[in-house]
Amino acid sequence: MPKAVVVLASSNRDKLRELDSLFSPLGLEVLAGPSLGSLEVDETERTYVGNARLKARAWNGFTGLPALADDSGLEVQALGGAPGVLSARMGDDDAGRIAWLLEAMRGQRNRRACFVASLVLVAGDREWEATGVCWGMLTEEPRGEGGFGYDPLFIPDGETRTFAEMAGAEKARYSHRAKATRLLACRLDDPFVLQYLLDCNRTPLGGLDHESIP
Ligand code: ITT
């Protein structure tokens, strides 16, 4: 069966890289939304899944294609769950966000934290959702050059290396995003669903313009 294309409702190239390799074995090709046009979506919800829904619905409406969104963040126990859904807003870039977190955690002995990712796929009149969580510990110094975001500060449970010290496939053994993808895959695991996604690639299943029907 040919691969169905899903548009990624994101301008984050690191998410695109991770999600494309996670979704490829499911028979889905992940295409960067911004390669088709420019669309700003305000993330006004207080939950990951709420924001992922906003992004996926907007890109599905904009392109007519199945659209996948990822909303994710880091929840730090000693900070009462912050930065959470606001994780992207703690600095202008990854270096700024890391500097913010190191400062917020200075002198903290409880370094427990988890990453959370919610995925929402919207196609035609159907939606699928899944959330994955990955627990671990925060380091006191950044370690490693791989990954993105807060990866240089995060060691998943069962490991001694940070996500940034791992290859992509190793991170995918533990990551919140990989867990959410596997859960979503269980919900998509039906040939009719894959056929439906392929059909949505060919036929925009938006509203029929009844006025134009003779
Ligand atoms: P889009 O909304 O365009 O998808 P974004 O980067 O703004 O891109 P989010 O609003 O979901 O995405 O913010 C997620 C932030 O959480 C992201 O910027 C990282 O700082 C952090 N984050 C999420 N997943 C991560 C991961 O696997 N490793 C490290 N940091 C991660």
Side-chain angles (χ1 to χ4, degrees), residues 10-12 15 43 55 72 148 150-151 171 176-177:
S10 173
S11 50
N12 184 324
K15 284 185 183 176
E43 297 179 33
K55 294 188 269 190
S72 42
F148 72 101
Y150 300 95
D151 280 349
K171 176 178 173 182
H176 47 312
R177 186 162 295 106

Side-chain angles (χ1 to χ4, degrees), residues 97-207:
R97 287 183 272 272
I98 284 178
W100 170 82
L101 184 55
L102 284 173
E103 183 57 31
M105 289 300 286
R106 192 196 293 251
Q108 275 291 350
R109 291 178 59 192
N110 176 4
R111 307 197 71 88
R112 203 87 182 112
C114 66
F115 274 120
V116 184
S118 289
L119 298 178
V120 174
L121 175 64
V122 176
D125 59 0
R126 299 287 312 272
E127 297 192 359
W128 297 266
E129 302 178 349
T131 295
V133 179
C134 173
W135 278 96
M137 303 294 281
L138 295 177
T139 58
E140 295 191 2
E141 296 292 337
R143 279 172 23 197
E145 303 295 324
F148 72 101
Y150 300 95
D151 280 349
L153 297 180
F154 185 84
I155 301 176
D157 285 351
E159 264 289 339
T160 53
R161 295 169 302 164
T162 67
F163 270 160
E165 293 176 300
M166 298 180 191
E170 292 177 297
K171 176 178 173 182
R173 262 192 240 141
Y174 304 96
S175 88
H176 47 312
R177 186 162 295 106
K179 287 177 177 169
T181 302
R182 271 178 239 147
L183 276 177
L184 199 67
C186 296
R187 291 166 191 167
L188 300 176
D189 186 23
D190 181 325
F192 286 105
V193 172
L194 283 179
Q195 185 59 56
Y196 176 75
L197 293 174
L198 275 171
D199 291 342
C200 288
N201 277 197
R202 298 193 195 103
T203 321
L205 293 179

Side-chain angles (χ1 to χ4, degrees), residues 20-42:
D20 190 34
S21 66
L22 291 167
F23 275 74
S24 179
L26 313 182
L28 299 174
E29 182 186 338
V30 181
L31 185 73
S35 68
L36 300 175
S38 150
L39 179 67
E40 284 296 319
V41 184
D42 285 337

